[in-house]
Amino acid sequence: MAKIIDGKAYAEGLRGRMAKTVAGLKSKHGLTPGLAVVLVGEDPASKVYVANKAKQTVEVGMNSWEHKLDAATPEATLLALVEKLNTDPACHGILVQLPLPKHIDSDKVLSAINPDKDVDGFHVVNVGRLSTGQESLVPCTPVGSVMLAKDALGSLAGLEAVVIGRSNIVGKPVAQLLLAENCTVTIAHSKTKDLPAVVRRADLVIAAVGRAEMVKGDWLKPGACVIDVGINRIERDGKGKLVGDCDFASCEKVAGSITPVPGGVGPMTIACLLRNTVRAACAQKGIAIPEL
Ligand code: NAD
């Protein structure tokens, strides 16, 4: 049976290390990293995410600001707020919670964020920096996924990695990070032919598809490491349940290690957002970026 990769415990450890780093930045440099989160509208899931982000930001000793705007807020008002945060020296990270209401152009808003404060790592400048191997702010879920893979496998150099999914938020950046770790990377997607045969080549599988329990145990090379990014809500036995993109019951019999859903990649996302905020604050102040 596969070793279960405990993302919740790993994220807790990361937050603990971060709290110590933040305390050190305050005492040595008088620097308190600060994160501003902007929420437009009343999307219930987004409200929960934003509340969790704020709570964990404060718990590690950083400054947190929540800007809650009405769903009817004009695009120009949101852009003016982003500009204000761009020039606020106490604010080192800016996150505009997606999705935005339909009348607002998300790409325009994300492009307006100062790339050095773009802690989501979605700005095209950061996408370019990542793909050319420069220091950059990297999307949080991909960073968390690769941290868990390295924790399970040690060095990833030379491994065959198959990423399922090619979104800008997960698939593409995770593939770039794996390339930087010297994996041989295949990106599979909805048009890939014979996906099970492609996945069977992999020492490391990263599934970011959004299809409940799609990857089956008999698609895996025995001993493969499986990082399941998917979060899917299904009905089972008359109850709502969260499952990943991998069929956990069959995969854990073949994999060497596997992340559960929930409790795998999910908890890493906010921890990596806080890590990006610390990194952004240090870079803005000319302080060496701490290893975290
Ligand atoms: P997306 O819908 O933007 O992209 C899905 C990708 O899967 C696409 O590139 C598509 O080509 C591919 N795909 C779809 N059907 C396929 C099939 N049958 N075979 C092969 N590939 C197929 O989704 P996303 O934003 O990348 O998110 C993917 C999943 O990860 C979702 O379940 C999402 O909820 C989850 N997610 C989790 C976190 C987290 O914090 N853990 C963060 C972001 C996304």
Side-chain angles (χ1 to χ4, degrees), residues 19-20 89 109 122 151 166 179 184 189 213 218 225 250 262 291:
K20 284 194 188 128
V109 173
F122 295 156
D151 190 50
R166 57 178 162 184
L179 204 52
T184 302
H189 47 76
E213 300 174 328
D218 64 3
C225 172
S250 63
E291 275 300 319

Side-chain angles (χ1 to χ4, degrees), residues 233-288:
R233 274 167 221 284
I234 60 160
E235 281 279 320
R236 183 163 293 155
D237 305 327
K239 283 191 209 143
K241 193 174 185 267
L242 280 189
V243 297
D245 291 340
C246 301
D247 173 31
F248 190 84
S250 63
C251 287
E252 74 164 339
K253 294 194 179 101
V254 185
S257 49
I258 184 166
T259 56
V261 178
V265 175
M268 294 297 289
T269 299
I270 297 183
C272 290
L273 170 69
L274 305 182
R275 178 177 178 269
N276 270 354
T277 306
V278 171
R279 292 168 65 86
C282 290
Q284 284 161 45
K285 294 287 171 195
I287 298 167

